[in-house]
Amino acid sequence: MKPTDSELEILHVLWANGPSTVRQVHEKLSQHRDIGYTTALKLMQIMHEKGLLSREEDARSHTYTALVTEEDTQRGLVDRFVETAFRGSASKLVMQVLGQHKASRQELDEIKRLLNDLDRDS
């Protein structure tokens, strides 16, 4: 399942802070952009219906928890992006990213380690 940009923002808050109420998520989102409380509430209700979030009902407040992991979500988004934008070519994606953005020495070393590990595994 591919979350929308707004849903992804909510997931980031939940991944970083753990189970949270709508008010807590709204406060975090409001630090970066103008979003109404009812908008955050509606988005989280929709995400619950879609199976992205679980909801624990306690008196007047509901606590939401992400049902999808950050890693699985990133993997799904990257897979879809590579398929649609680069016709399935991971090398084209990497070449585009490295050609457009200056990678730090640390990032380049990390990429080399990953490539060496992949080479050993094949």
Side-chain angles (χ1 to χ4, degrees), residues 69-88:
T69 66
E70 187 171 11
E71 295 78 18
D72 286 344
T73 303
Q74 288 171 343
R75 192 174 303 111
L77 290 170
V78 169
D79 286 348
R80 185 167 190 275
F81 182 66
V82 170
E83 285 301 320
T84 57
F86 295 94
R87 295 190 187 120

Side-chain angles (χ1 to χ4, degrees), residues 46-100:
I46 291 168
M47 292 172 73
H48 177 257
E49 291 169 12
K50 289 170 124 178
L52 294 170
L53 303 179
S54 67
R55 179 174 62 204
E56 181 77 26
E57 299 180 26
D58 180 34
R60 292 188 58 205
S61 68
H62 295 159
T63 301
Y64 288 85
T65 304
L67 289 176
V68 294
T69 66
E70 187 171 11
E71 295 78 18
D72 286 344
T73 303
Q74 288 171 343
R75 192 174 303 111
L77 290 170
V78 169
D79 286 348
R80 185 167 190 275
F81 182 66
V82 170
E83 285 301 320
T84 57
F86 295 94
R87 295 190 187 120
S89 173
S91 65
K92 285 183 182 178
L93 169 66
V94 171
M95 298 299 271
Q96 183 69 27
V97 169
L98 292 177
Q100 296 291 322

Side-chain angles (χ1 to χ4, degrees), residues 7-18:
E7 291 171 344
L8 200 52
E9 284 183 283
I10 290 169
L11 286 169
H12 280 294
V13 171
L14 293 172
W15 290 328
N17 300 298

